[in-house]
Amino acid sequence: MRILTLLLLLPTLLVGQDKKTPRSLYRLTVYSYKTVSQGEAIDLYLGSAYVPALHRRGVKQVGVFKDLANDTSLVKKIYVLVPFRDLDEMIALDAAVMEDKEVLATGAAYINAEPDMAPYARQESILMRAFRFAPQMTRTAVKGPRDQRVYELRSYESPTEKKYLNKVHMFNEGGEIPLFKRLGFNAVFYADVISGAHMPNLMYMTTFENMADREAHWKAFVDDAEWKSLSSRPEYQKNVSRADIMFLRPMAYSDY
Protein backbone atom coordinates (compact mmCIF):
# COMPACT_ATOMS: atom_id res chain seq x y z
CA MET A 1 0.00 0.00 0.00
CA ARG A 2 2.84 2.40 0.81
CA ILE A 3 4.39 1.83 -2.63
CA LEU A 4 1.06 2.47 -4.34
CA THR A 5 0.59 5.70 -2.39
CA LEU A 6 4.06 6.93 -3.28
CA LEU A 7 3.49 6.11 -6.93
CA LEU A 8 0.35 8.21 -6.89
CA LEU A 9 1.93 11.11 -5.04
CA LEU A 10 5.26 11.29 -6.84
CA PRO A 11 3.97 12.99 -10.03
CA THR A 12 2.64 15.89 -7.97
CA LEU A 13 5.89 16.25 -6.07
CA LEU A 14 8.32 16.43 -8.96
CA VAL A 15 8.85 19.88 -10.39
CA GLY A 16 7.85 20.41 -14.03
CA GLN A 17 6.76 16.86 -14.80
CA ASP A 18 5.45 16.24 -18.31
CA LYS A 19 2.48 13.92 -17.88
CA LYS A 20 2.50 13.05 -21.60
CA THR A 21 5.95 11.43 -21.40
CA PRO A 22 5.81 7.72 -20.49
CA ARG A 23 8.22 6.98 -17.67
CA SER A 24 9.27 3.44 -16.87
CA LEU A 25 9.38 1.76 -13.51
CA TYR A 26 12.63 -0.04 -12.71
CA ARG A 27 13.24 -2.76 -10.19
CA LEU A 28 16.78 -3.37 -9.07
CA THR A 29 17.11 -6.70 -7.29
CA VAL A 30 20.30 -7.22 -5.33
CA TYR A 31 21.31 -10.76 -4.43
CA SER A 32 23.85 -11.01 -1.61
CA TYR A 33 25.68 -14.32 -1.25
CA LYS A 34 28.71 -15.73 0.54
CA THR A 35 29.73 -18.97 -1.16
CA VAL A 36 30.80 -19.98 -4.66
CA SER A 37 27.94 -22.47 -4.86
CA GLN A 38 25.40 -19.76 -4.03
CA GLY A 39 26.79 -17.51 -6.74
CA GLU A 40 26.65 -20.33 -9.26
CA ALA A 41 23.05 -21.13 -8.30
CA ILE A 42 21.93 -17.51 -8.76
CA ASP A 43 23.84 -17.20 -12.05
CA LEU A 44 22.35 -20.42 -13.43
CA TYR A 45 18.80 -19.45 -12.48
CA LEU A 46 19.03 -15.96 -13.92
CA GLY A 47 20.77 -16.96 -17.13
CA SER A 48 18.85 -20.12 -17.99
CA ALA A 49 15.42 -19.48 -16.45
CA TYR A 50 14.53 -15.96 -15.28
CA VAL A 51 15.94 -13.73 -18.04
CA PRO A 52 14.69 -16.01 -20.86
CA ALA A 53 11.22 -16.00 -19.24
CA LEU A 54 11.14 -12.18 -19.27
CA HIS A 55 12.31 -12.17 -22.90
CA ARG A 56 9.45 -14.49 -23.86
CA ARG A 57 7.04 -12.01 -22.29
CA GLY A 58 8.36 -9.00 -24.16
CA VAL A 59 10.84 -7.58 -21.64
CA LYS A 60 13.91 -7.40 -23.87
CA GLN A 61 16.18 -5.13 -21.85
CA VAL A 62 17.24 -6.94 -18.70
CA GLY A 63 20.52 -6.00 -17.10
CA VAL A 64 22.41 -8.49 -14.93
CA PHE A 65 25.66 -7.38 -13.32
CA LYS A 66 28.27 -8.67 -10.91
CA ASP A 67 29.92 -6.37 -8.38
CA LEU A 68 33.60 -5.89 -9.24
CA ALA A 69 34.38 -6.20 -5.52
CA ASN A 70 33.11 -9.79 -5.55
CA ASP A 71 36.59 -11.33 -5.76
CA THR A 72 37.66 -9.89 -2.42
CA SER A 73 34.41 -9.23 -0.54
CA LEU A 74 33.09 -11.56 2.12
CA VAL A 75 29.55 -10.76 0.97
CA LYS A 76 29.30 -10.81 -2.81
CA LYS A 77 26.52 -9.31 -4.93
CA ILE A 78 24.66 -9.76 -8.21
CA TYR A 79 22.36 -6.99 -9.50
CA VAL A 80 19.32 -7.50 -11.75
CA LEU A 81 17.77 -4.44 -13.42
CA VAL A 82 14.33 -4.87 -15.02
CA PRO A 83 12.15 -2.16 -16.61
CA PHE A 84 8.35 -2.23 -16.43
CA ARG A 85 5.64 -0.03 -17.93
CA ASP A 86 3.80 0.16 -14.62
CA LEU A 87 3.22 -1.58 -11.30
CA ASP A 88 0.48 -3.82 -12.72
CA GLU A 89 2.85 -5.20 -15.34
CA MET A 90 5.49 -5.91 -12.70
CA ILE A 91 3.05 -7.83 -10.49
CA ALA A 92 1.61 -9.75 -13.45
CA LEU A 93 5.05 -10.71 -14.78
CA ASP A 94 6.23 -11.89 -11.37
CA ALA A 95 3.22 -14.19 -11.13
CA ALA A 96 3.63 -15.43 -14.69
CA VAL A 97 7.31 -16.26 -14.23
CA MET A 98 6.62 -18.38 -11.15
CA GLU A 99 3.98 -20.31 -13.10
CA ASP A 100 6.12 -20.72 -16.23
CA LYS A 101 6.72 -24.44 -16.90
CA GLU A 102 10.12 -23.80 -18.46
CA VAL A 103 11.20 -21.75 -15.45
CA LEU A 104 9.96 -24.39 -13.03
CA ALA A 105 11.95 -27.04 -14.89
CA THR A 106 15.14 -25.14 -15.74
CA GLY A 107 15.26 -23.27 -12.44
CA ALA A 108 14.24 -26.19 -10.24
CA ALA A 109 17.44 -26.28 -8.20
CA TYR A 110 17.07 -22.60 -7.30
CA ILE A 111 13.30 -22.59 -6.79
CA ASN A 112 13.20 -25.80 -4.74
CA ALA A 113 16.31 -25.17 -2.63
CA GLU A 114 16.01 -26.24 1.00
CA PRO A 115 16.23 -23.44 3.62
CA ASP A 116 19.63 -24.65 4.86
CA MET A 117 20.90 -24.61 1.27
CA ALA A 118 19.40 -21.27 0.20
CA PRO A 119 20.97 -19.85 -3.00
CA TYR A 120 21.53 -16.43 -1.43
CA ALA A 121 22.05 -14.83 1.96
CA ARG A 122 19.71 -11.90 1.28
CA GLN A 123 17.60 -10.48 -1.51
CA GLU A 124 16.81 -6.74 -1.71
CA SER A 125 14.45 -5.03 -4.15
CA ILE A 126 14.69 -1.33 -4.96
CA LEU A 127 11.76 0.17 -6.87
CA MET A 128 12.45 3.24 -8.98
CA ARG A 129 10.74 5.57 -11.44
CA ALA A 130 12.59 7.06 -14.40
CA PHE A 131 13.39 10.76 -14.37
CA ARG A 132 11.27 12.94 -16.62
CA PHE A 133 14.28 13.94 -18.73
CA ALA A 134 15.33 10.27 -19.13
CA PRO A 135 12.02 8.36 -19.26
CA GLN A 136 13.34 5.05 -20.61
CA MET A 137 16.41 2.86 -20.15
CA THR A 138 19.05 3.28 -22.86
CA ARG A 139 21.30 0.55 -24.19
CA THR A 140 24.93 1.60 -23.80
CA ALA A 141 26.91 2.63 -26.88
CA VAL A 142 30.16 1.51 -25.24
CA LYS A 143 32.18 -0.87 -27.42
CA GLY A 144 35.04 -3.20 -26.62
CA PRO A 145 35.31 -6.40 -24.55
CA ARG A 146 32.41 -6.91 -22.16
CA ASP A 147 34.75 -8.33 -19.54
CA GLN A 148 36.56 -4.98 -19.40
CA ARG A 149 33.52 -2.71 -19.27
CA VAL A 150 32.69 -0.77 -16.13
CA TYR A 151 29.08 -0.01 -15.23
CA GLU A 152 29.00 2.60 -12.50
CA LEU A 153 25.90 2.54 -10.32
CA ARG A 154 25.53 5.61 -8.10
CA SER A 155 23.14 6.12 -5.21
CA TYR A 156 22.61 9.63 -3.85
CA GLU A 157 20.80 10.21 -0.57
CA SER A 158 19.56 13.62 0.52
CA PRO A 159 19.18 15.02 4.05
CA THR A 160 15.48 15.95 3.59
CA GLU A 161 12.67 15.42 1.09
CA LYS A 162 12.91 19.07 0.02
CA LYS A 163 16.64 18.79 -0.67
CA TYR A 164 16.01 15.54 -2.50
CA LEU A 165 13.56 17.18 -4.91
CA ASN A 166 16.13 19.93 -5.34
CA LYS A 167 18.76 17.35 -6.44
CA VAL A 168 16.26 15.75 -8.84
CA HIS A 169 15.59 19.22 -10.27
CA MET A 170 19.35 19.68 -10.67
CA PHE A 171 19.53 16.55 -12.82
CA ASN A 172 16.49 17.46 -14.93
CA GLU A 173 15.75 21.16 -15.27
CA GLY A 174 19.19 22.12 -13.94
CA GLY A 175 20.92 20.39 -16.86
CA GLU A 176 23.01 17.66 -15.23
CA ILE A 177 21.58 14.95 -17.50
CA PRO A 178 22.44 16.84 -20.73
CA LEU A 179 25.89 17.48 -19.30
CA PHE A 180 26.49 13.76 -18.79
CA LYS A 181 25.28 13.14 -22.34
CA ARG A 182 27.55 15.81 -23.85
CA LEU A 183 30.56 14.31 -22.07
CA GLY A 184 29.77 10.78 -23.31
CA PHE A 185 28.92 9.01 -20.05
CA ASN A 186 26.55 6.55 -21.82
CA ALA A 187 23.92 6.52 -19.09
CA VAL A 188 21.61 3.51 -18.83
CA PHE A 189 19.09 5.18 -16.52
CA TYR A 190 18.37 7.98 -14.05
CA ALA A 191 15.61 7.36 -11.51
CA ASP A 192 13.86 8.30 -8.28
CA VAL A 193 13.90 5.56 -5.68
CA ILE A 194 10.24 5.06 -4.77
CA SER A 195 10.84 2.32 -2.23
CA GLY A 196 14.17 1.27 -0.78
CA ALA A 197 16.27 1.05 2.36
CA HIS A 198 17.90 4.47 1.89
CA MET A 199 15.49 7.34 1.48
CA PRO A 200 15.13 9.95 0.08
CA ASN A 201 17.27 8.54 -2.68
CA LEU A 202 17.99 8.63 -6.41
CA MET A 203 20.08 6.25 -8.49
CA TYR A 204 21.68 6.31 -11.91
CA MET A 205 24.01 4.16 -14.01
CA THR A 206 26.73 5.18 -16.47
CA THR A 207 29.03 2.98 -18.58
CA PHE A 208 32.67 2.99 -19.70
CA GLU A 209 35.00 0.87 -21.82
CA ASN A 210 37.25 0.18 -18.84
CA MET A 211 38.34 1.74 -15.56
CA ALA A 212 40.86 4.05 -17.21
CA ASP A 213 38.09 5.34 -19.48
CA ARG A 214 35.93 5.89 -16.42
CA GLU A 215 38.63 7.92 -14.69
CA ALA A 216 39.17 10.07 -17.79
CA HIS A 217 35.43 10.80 -18.12
CA TRP A 218 35.08 11.86 -14.49
CA LYS A 219 38.14 14.11 -14.72
CA ALA A 220 36.56 15.80 -17.74
CA PHE A 221 33.31 16.17 -15.79
CA VAL A 222 34.92 17.73 -12.71
CA ASP A 223 36.96 20.11 -14.88
CA ASP A 224 34.04 21.09 -17.12
CA ALA A 225 33.07 24.78 -16.93
CA GLU A 226 29.36 23.98 -17.13
CA TRP A 227 29.59 21.61 -14.14
CA LYS A 228 31.57 24.14 -12.14
CA SER A 229 28.90 26.73 -12.82
CA LEU A 230 25.99 24.36 -12.08
CA SER A 231 27.47 22.93 -8.87
CA SER A 232 28.26 26.39 -7.51
CA ARG A 233 24.74 27.75 -7.88
CA PRO A 234 23.35 28.72 -4.42
CA GLU A 235 20.03 26.91 -4.91
CA TYR A 236 21.78 23.54 -5.40
CA GLN A 237 23.94 23.48 -2.28
CA LYS A 238 23.91 20.67 0.31
CA ASN A 239 21.36 18.50 -1.53
CA VAL A 240 23.34 15.23 -1.21
CA SER A 241 24.14 13.82 2.23
CA ARG A 242 25.62 10.47 1.11
CA ALA A 243 26.88 9.05 -2.18
CA ASP A 244 27.54 5.34 -2.73
CA ILE A 245 29.40 4.13 -5.82
CA MET A 246 29.23 0.54 -7.08
CA PHE A 247 31.39 -0.73 -9.94
CA LEU A 248 29.71 -3.51 -11.90
CA ARG A 249 30.43 -5.77 -14.87
CA PRO A 250 27.73 -7.29 -17.12
CA MET A 251 27.10 -11.01 -17.06
CA ALA A 252 27.39 -12.87 -20.37
CA TYR A 253 23.59 -13.03 -20.77
CA SER A 254 22.91 -9.42 -19.75
CA ASP A 255 21.19 -7.28 -22.38
CA TYR A 256 23.44 -4.38 -21.36
Side-chain angles (χ1 to χ4, degrees):
M1 182 60 69
R2 180 171 178 268
I3 292 175
L4 286 170
T5 301
L6 285 168
L7 281 171
L8 291 172
L9 286 176
L10 190 60
T12 65
L13 293 175
L14 295 179
V15 178
Q17 178 185 331
D18 181 355
K19 294 182 179 179
K20 295 181 180 179
T21 303
R23 294 163 57 190
S24 294
L25 288 183
Y26 306 135
R27 182 173 61 196
L28 182 66
T29 302
V30 185
Y31 293 90
S32 299
Y33 63 99
K34 296 182 179 180
T35 67
V36 172
S37 60
Q38 284 183 320
E40 291 174 345
I42 298 168
D43 188 22
L44 179 62
Y45 171 71
L46 294 174
S48 64
Y50 183 71
V51 172
L54 291 183
H55 286 169
R56 290 194 297 272
R57 287 163 175 79
V59 182
K60 302 300 184 183
Q61 298 183 341
V62 182
V64 185
F65 312 93
K66 183 173 288 187
D67 196 321
L68 286 183
N70 278 358
D71 292 341
T72 57
S73 297
L74 178 61
V75 177
K76 309 173 192 305
K77 295 183 178 181
I78 291 176
Y79 298 75
V80 183
L81 178 64
V82 184
F84 301 97
R85 288 190 298 270
D86 52 39
L87 193 60
D88 287 339
E89 181 188 44
M90 184 183 77
I91 294 171
L93 278 172
D94 283 349
V97 167
M98 292 310 297
E99 295 174 356
D100 187 307
K101 292 182 179 180
E102 290 188 43
V103 172
L104 294 176
T106 309
Y110 173 95
I111 294 169
N112 299 320
E114 294 295 331
D116 59 349
M117 294 294 289
Y120 50 83
R122 173 173 291 171
Q123 183 185 138
E124 175 188 0
S125 286
I126 302 167
L127 187 63
M128 299 177 280
R129 192 183 189 203
F131 279 0
R132 184 170 71 84
F133 279 38
Q136 305 290 329
M137 283 169 60
T138 303
R139 195 183 299 272
T140 181
V142 168
K143 305 298 181 183
R146 289 172 64 89
D147 63 357
Q148 294 298 312
R149 294 181 193 174
V150 174
Y151 286 61
E152 183 169 352
L153 178 65
R154 288 198 169 209
S155 170
Y156 289 172
E157 297 172 48
S158 296
T160 66
E161 289 86 347
K162 182 177 179 179
K163 282 296 185 181
Y164 171 75
L165 293 176
N166 176 261
K167 183 58 181 176
V168 173
H169 187 278
M170 187 176 179
F171 267 94
N172 288 286
E173 289 80 2
E176 198 166 344
I177 290 176
L179 174 58
F180 275 115
K181 185 175 182 179
R182 174 169 65 80
L183 294 177
F185 273 69
N186 289 297
V188 174
F189 75 89
Y190 301 90
D192 299 281
V193 174
I194 296 172
S195 181
H198 309 286
M199 303 288 285
N201 181 210
L202 67 84
M203 301 184 81
Y204 69 98
M205 178 184 283
T206 52
T207 59
F208 311 94
E209 290 185 7
N210 49 50
M211 191 60 77
D213 183 45
R214 181 262 176 193
E215 297 297 330
H217 273 80
W218 276 108
K219 184 179 186 306
F221 183 89
V222 171
D223 293 341
D224 189 84
E226 184 180 349
W227 169 246
K228 289 181 178 180
S229 175
L230 176 62
S231 61
S232 65
R233 286 165 58 176
E235 65 268 33
Y236 290 138
Q237 300 308 302
K238 298 182 180 180
N239 55 15
V240 174
S241 56
R242 178 184 174 92
D244 290 314
I245 302 173
M246 292 139 280
F247 296 121
L248 313 178
R249 188 147 288 155
M251 305 294 274
Y253 48 87
S254 175
D255 296 316
Y256 285 88

